[in-house]
Amino acid sequence: MNVVIYARYSSHSQTEQSIEGQLKVCYEYAESHNYTIVGEYIDRAQSGKFDNRADFQRMIADSDKHTFEGVLVYQLDRFARNRYDSARYKNQLKRNGVKLISATEVIAPGAEGILLESVLEGYAEYFSEDLKIKVVRGMSLNAEKCVWNGGVLPIGYADGFIRSYAKDGYM
């Protein structure tokens, strides 16, 4: 079977090693299942919560050319972290005769596989929403303590300035 690999990582704080690791596992999986890899689609620093990922969209569009029969991902959450997008694009792939394959999750065919895949997709979406809540909570706590949350330094800010300024009672 001819397959393509789709890999992605979510944020700028992640490194190319994430992609390398995903590709390594996918290539090993393909070899052990006698799949022929005919291409790679890779999105860097792109959230799976949204479908506006350039290589993802290119892969979906290319699926109607019938040059591959499978999309191999490290794990289903690399494909999407939104269960509606996941269902939509898996359906489009299916119409084009393309199957989505996870290299690390064993999903049996039949009723049990349908249930497991649904749970994995729901969990991927839950993880994103839960992480968003935790990040906002952490940033809010940092702000209350006058600790810099990162990003571009504001004009006139020197590391430690706001903390010492706050300790002196000016904030």
Side-chain angles (χ1 to χ4, degrees):
M1 176 190 316
N2 287 343
V3 300
V4 296
I5 295 174
Y6 177 71
R8 123 188 123 71
Y9 62 84
S10 299
S11 70
H12 292 287
S13 63
Q14 291 175 298
T15 67
E16 196 63 27
Q17 291 174 330
S18 174
I19 295 295
E20 290 171 9
Q22 291 175 56
L23 292 175
K24 181 179 186 293
V25 169
C26 288
Y27 272 95
E28 290 169 355
Y29 182 90
E31 184 177 336
S32 71
H33 288 79
N34 296 317
Y35 294 158
T36 302
I37 298 171
V38 296
E40 296 175 358
Y41 297 86
I42 299 171
D43 284 311
R44 292 169 174 83
Q46 297 289 311
S47 172
K49 288 174 56 177
F50 309 103
D51 66 351
N52 60 343
R53 296 170 267 148
D55 259 20
F56 180 81
Q57 288 298 330
R58 190 168 60 86
M59 176 189 68
I60 296 298
D62 288 351
S63 73
D64 68 3
K65 296 176 183 174
H66 305 289
T67 57
F68 54 90
E69 294 83 40
V71 172
L72 181 57
V73 292
Y74 172 76
Q75 184 170 312
L76 291 179
D77 70 357
R78 301 298 85 203
F79 187 75
R81 283 198 183 267
N82 173 315
R83 59 204 149 114
Y84 301 107
D85 284 346
S86 182
R88 173 184 172 201
Y89 290 109
K90 281 193 315 186
N91 186 48
Q92 189 169 347
L93 289 175
K94 186 177 179 180
R95 283 194 318 260
N96 290 331
V98 177
K99 178 182 179 185
L100 180 62
I101 305 160
S102 172
T104 59
E105 299 156 324
V106 179
I107 302 170
E112 295 86 6
I114 292 169
L115 180 61
L116 177 58
E117 199 167 315
S118 301
V119 169
L120 291 170
E121 289 168 347
Y123 183 75
E125 186 171 358
Y126 161 81
F127 179 83
S128 287
E129 289 301 311
D130 188 52
L131 183 60
K132 178 173 68 175
I133 291 167
K134 289 175 181 172
V135 167
V136 169
R137 181 182 65 215
M139 290 176 75
S140 297
L141 286 171
N142 280 348
E144 287 174 12
K145 295 176 184 178
C146 297
V147 174
W148 180 51
N149 273 313
V152 178
L153 285 171
I155 294 175
Y157 178 83
D159 189 30
F161 172 74
I162 289 180
R163 279 177 283 204
S164 65
Y165 191 72
K167 286 179 187 174
D168 294 339
Y170 296 108
M171 291 184 101

